[in-house]
Amino acid sequence: MHTENEWEARYQAGTTGWDRGQASPGLFYWLDQGMLVPPAQVLIPGCGNGYEVDELARRGFDVVALDIAPTPVNNLRQRLLHQGLKATVEQADLFYWQTDTPFDAVYEQTCLCAIDPTEREAYAEKLYQWLRPGGLLLAQFMQTGQEGGPPFHCALGEMETLFPPARWRWPDQAGPVVDMGEGRQERGYALVRR
Ligand SMILES: C[S@@+](CC[C@H](N)C(=O)[O-])C[C@H]1O[C@@H](n2cnc3c(N)ncnc32)[C@H](O)[C@@H]1O
């Protein structure tokens, strides 16, 4: 299990190899496909520096972003302020975070692969609870093909078990494939919460 302090230490040391310094091409793929339409309410758990938050806020989405580490939360808040953009950014442990108003969409990028695999079921339950029926989970499943992590490999067969068809409608076609370097890829899937 990785605590707030461990993630914070990574941000302070700058050992943040996942941070591309700009919004992911995966997000632009979903936007170009019309999967997300403003002013939808979008949640980004484990947002990190959250460049996707800027992009969605700029386009008129109602965005809530969470991260357990204070440094990226502060970075993101400052950036939004400087750009005159509005979004809700909270420093919170996603396993304890709740909402009274379920979201239209969750953008899941490099958070599932960051948490310990023993916590995946609890995270999948949170994703289910955070979304309204018919809401969209835009999941980027990390493919490392390796043991250990983070990032932990998200084998697609295991994802089908974690997000079972009784609760989630899987798409006929996969979405974007984003190169993450070091032989890793994120494979995007748009799942509909039943
Ligand atoms: C690999 S980073 C990805 C950050 C961002 N999504 C990106 O793509 O740049 C994983 C992020 O999840 C956050 N995180 C890990 N466990 C968390 C938890 N229990 N609650 C909230 N955030 C968490 C970390 O602080 C870190 O910023």
Side-chain angles (χ1 to χ4, degrees), residues 2 7-8 11 18-20 44-52 66-69 72 92-95 109-111 113-115 186:
H2 291 263
W7 285 105
E8 175 61 14
Y11 281 100
W18 61 83
D19 188 319
R20 66 179 68 240
I44 306 188
C47 61
N49 277 318
Y51 309 101
E52 292 74 22
L66 315 174
D67 203 282
I68 200 168
D93 183 336
L94 65 87
F95 290 105
Q109 174 182 291
T110 332
C111 184
C113 69
I115 62 174
E186 280 186 335

Side-chain angles (χ1 to χ4, degrees), residues 20 27 52 68 78 99 104 149 151 161-162 166 171 183:
R20 66 179 68 240
L27 179 71
E52 292 74 22
I68 200 168
Q78 288 299 319
T99 179
D104 298 313
T161 305
L162 192 62

Side-chain angles (χ1 to χ4, degrees), residues 112-113 115-121 124 137 139 141-148 152-165 168 170 189 191:
L112 175 61
C113 69
I115 62 174
D116 193 280
T118 59
E119 297 178 310
R120 281 182 177 174
E121 280 191 22
L137 171 60
F141 293 133
M142 176 68 77
Q143 307 299 299
T144 72
Q146 293 182 349
E147 295 288 317
F152 294 98
H153 183 58
C154 297
L156 296 176
E158 287 177 35
M159 295 302 102
E160 283 171 19
T161 305
L162 192 62
F163 300 100
W168 301 91
W170 279 73
Y189 286 82
L191 275 61

Side-chain angles (χ1 to χ4, degrees), residues 11-74:
Y11 281 100
Q12 291 205 6
T15 48
T16 51
W18 61 83
D19 188 319
R20 66 179 68 240
Q22 57 190 354
S24 169
L27 179 71
F28 292 106
Y29 173 92
W30 298 121
L31 288 167
D32 290 348
Q33 293 283 312
M35 300 296 280
L36 289 174
V37 179
Q41 291 184 301
V42 183
L43 175 66
I44 306 188
C47 61
N49 277 318
Y51 309 101
E52 292 74 22
V53 179
D54 306 43
E55 188 61 38
L56 291 173
R58 191 174 298 117
R59 291 174 184 240
F61 289 91
D62 183 357
V63 190
V64 176
L66 315 174
D67 203 282
I68 200 168
T71 290
V73 164
N74 290 335

Side-chain angles (χ1 to χ4, degrees), residues 126-139:
K126 296 300 288 186
L127 291 166
Y128 186 79
Q129 289 170 6
W130 288 333
L131 280 167
R132 64 167 172 77
L136 204 56
L137 171 60
L138 296 174

